[in-house]
Amino acid sequence: MTNHDTQLSPAERARRRALASLARLAGTTAALPFIASLAPAAAFGQQTTATGAPATLGPPSRPAPQPGTRVVMLGTHGGPGIERDRAQTSSAVVVDGVPYLVDCGYGSLRQLVLSTIGYQRLDAIFFTHLHDDHTSDLPALMSLQWTGGAKKTPTEVYGPNGTARLVDAALEFVRVNAEIRTVDEGRTIDPTTLFHGHDVAATPAPTRVLADERVTVTAVESAHYPARSTAKMSHRALSYRFDTKERSIVFTGDTAYSENVVGLAKGADLFVCEVMAQSVYDANIARAKEAEAAGNPVSIARHVAETHSTPSDVGKMAAKAKVKTVVLYHLLPGPRPPGGLDYAITNFTDGVRGAGFAGEVIVSQDLMVL
Ligand SMILES: [Zn+2]
Ligand SMILES: [Zn+2]
């Protein structure tokens, strides 16, 4: 047993609950890889031969839509690095079987497949902001939705200023492939009819982004870009709230402590909040001071320290908003693969509770269902 395992009792509880939920969502415990780690013979889509050897590795079967509201943590890694065990940021709210995607960092597309949500029936994407660790899979998602050929309804992409431009740029990527396949395969769908980008105003009080028969989505400006930066650019960052019949869920995206986010999150069932360990904050403050002394006052270290939330920041927002449950994601640092650095979830949970939040705190993992 590793140090990692010995410190996981709250996470283990969350994991077991997630496994049960995931099995309900997937309709089978054979659909997902981390369930497979509990029962190797029933691995994801895998058949075994008479000798017990793996024979084929098929795609996950699509379960029947389940009623209710679930959150699927597709990618929980924080920042632009690429990790073996965690995808970049992406989450899905699935309401009565209909998915809504929040952010689409590198690896999201694969996580959508592994979660059995898939990507062909995804019609709504919400970007918290346009840093590439939240957007990288968008061109691939759009292109493969078009190439899949079955999609008849448009994909609407919402996000802060710049989102429409980003979708237009991704459409250029889609268009070259579409030209070839239209000539060569007799396809008829114009990709520009399938993808629409929408710039959402960044406001201090919640603004309605979307309302349909399943969900109302509202947004506020979060505190990911400091005033010294917003004074020089039109880019902004957003946090989203999803209200369904059963639940209310807030995704902060990337943010430092924010009163806007507190207002958005008032009484929410799930407060899905980014976090960086206090040690990450301290190290980046020290590096930022060194950079400033060397003549660079606007360093990456300063960006990291000033525009993300420590566990204490998360706890203060959660307590003030009186949310029921905190779900930590966009983890800085994330756990390393076996043989790497030790990782204690108490780095995060103790800080959140120490700031006055008395409810449940869940440190998320990729493909966790809540
Ligand atoms: Zn980020
Ligand atoms: Zn960011």
Side-chain angles (χ1 to χ4, degrees):
M1 181 168 281
T2 65
N3 188 34
H4 174 84
D5 296 323
T6 59
Q7 299 181 50
L8 281 184
S9 69
E12 184 57 25
R13 283 201 304 278
R15 175 180 156 85
R16 281 164 195 269
R17 189 172 53 250
L19 287 172
S21 309
L22 193 52
R24 283 199 298 277
L25 181 84
T28 167
T29 54
L32 288 149
F34 76 82
I35 287 178
S37 71
L38 295 180
F44 157 57
Q46 183 171 299
Q47 309 295 317
T48 52
T49 64
T51 61
T56 59
L57 193 64
S61 56
R62 173 70 46 75
Q66 300 286 305
T69 301
R70 290 173 179 79
V71 175
V72 184
M73 305 304 294
L74 295 167
T76 60
H77 175 66
I82 297 177
E83 291 282 340
R84 194 187 76 172
D85 295 332
R86 294 198 182 222
Q88 289 183 352
T89 303
S90 186
S91 316
V93 178
V94 183
V95 189
D96 298 338
V98 177
Y100 300 79
L101 192 70
V102 183
D103 287 329
C104 192
Y106 182 76
S108 312
L109 198 48
R110 183 164 174 76
Q111 298 300 83
L112 280 166
V113 173
L114 291 177
S115 70
T116 74
I117 293 170
Y119 57 90
Q120 288 292 349
R121 63 203 176 105
L122 189 64
D123 288 342
I125 301 172
F126 301 84
F127 284 127
T128 59
H129 64 300
L130 305 183
H131 273 153
D132 50 7
D133 53 315
H134 296 250
T135 62
S136 286
D137 262 5
L138 180 69
L141 173 67
M142 287 169 51
S143 198
L144 294 166
Q145 278 192 327
W146 183 86
T147 297
K151 199 165 195 319
K152 302 288 186 268
T153 50
T155 300
E156 308 292 343
V157 185
Y158 305 89
N161 183 41
T163 298
R165 189 153 63 95
L166 195 78
V167 170
D168 284 345
L171 263 170
E172 279 302 304
F173 176 86
V174 175
R175 212 187 309 264
V176 176
N177 167 69
E179 283 170 7
I180 300 166
R181 294 188 186 275
T182 297
V183 170
D184 195 38
E185 301 172 11
R187 290 165 180 266
T188 56
I189 297 173
D190 176 353
T192 60
T193 64
L194 270 191
F195 305 102
H196 306 131
H198 306 272
D199 289 358
V200 174
T203 55
T207 297
R208 181 176 290 194
V209 179
L210 172 85
D212 63 18
E213 65 273 29
R214 288 172 292 273
V215 64
T216 299
V217 182
T218 49
V220 295
E221 180 177 4
S222 65
H224 190 40
Y225 305 139
R228 64 187 158 83
S229 300
T230 54
K232 295 180 192 159
M233 65 182 189
S234 60
H235 293 292
R236 298 293 183 268
L238 303 173
S239 300
Y240 290 99
R241 177 176 178 132
F242 288 69
D243 285 285
T244 74
K245 279 196 304 286
E246 300 93 4
R247 303 174 89 184
S248 49
I249 305 133
V250 168
F251 296 91
T252 64
D254 292 5
T255 190
Y257 180 92
S258 163
E259 286 294 337
N260 294 356
V261 173
V262 170
L264 182 75
K266 280 275 186 281
D269 294 314
L270 287 185
F271 182 55
V272 184
C273 190
E274 73 118 280
V275 71
M276 70 174 153
Q278 184 66 41
S279 58
V280 172
Y281 174 83
D282 294 341
N284 278 283
I285 285 288
R287 261 185 243 129
K289 283 188 179 144
E290 284 169 20
E292 188 161 9
N296 178 14
V298 188
S299 58
I300 295 172
R302 185 172 172 192
H303 159 78
V304 173
E306 290 184 354
T307 68
H308 293 282
S309 292
T310 62
S312 168
D313 292 329
V314 178
K316 283 180 204 154
M317 287 192 276
K320 192 162 182 188
K322 296 188 167 52
V323 302
K324 294 191 180 66
T325 299
V326 167
V327 181
L328 299 172
Y329 79 146
H330 197 279
L331 306 170
L332 287 172
R336 297 295 188 267
L341 300 173
D342 280 345
Y343 174 79
I345 64 161
T346 48
N347 285 341
F348 298 130
T349 53
D350 287 354
V352 176
R353 295 199 177 103
F357 179 69
E360 187 174 24
V361 182
I362 296 171
V363 180
S364 67
Q365 302 178 34
D366 281 20
L367 299 178
M368 182 180 268
V369 180
L370 299 161

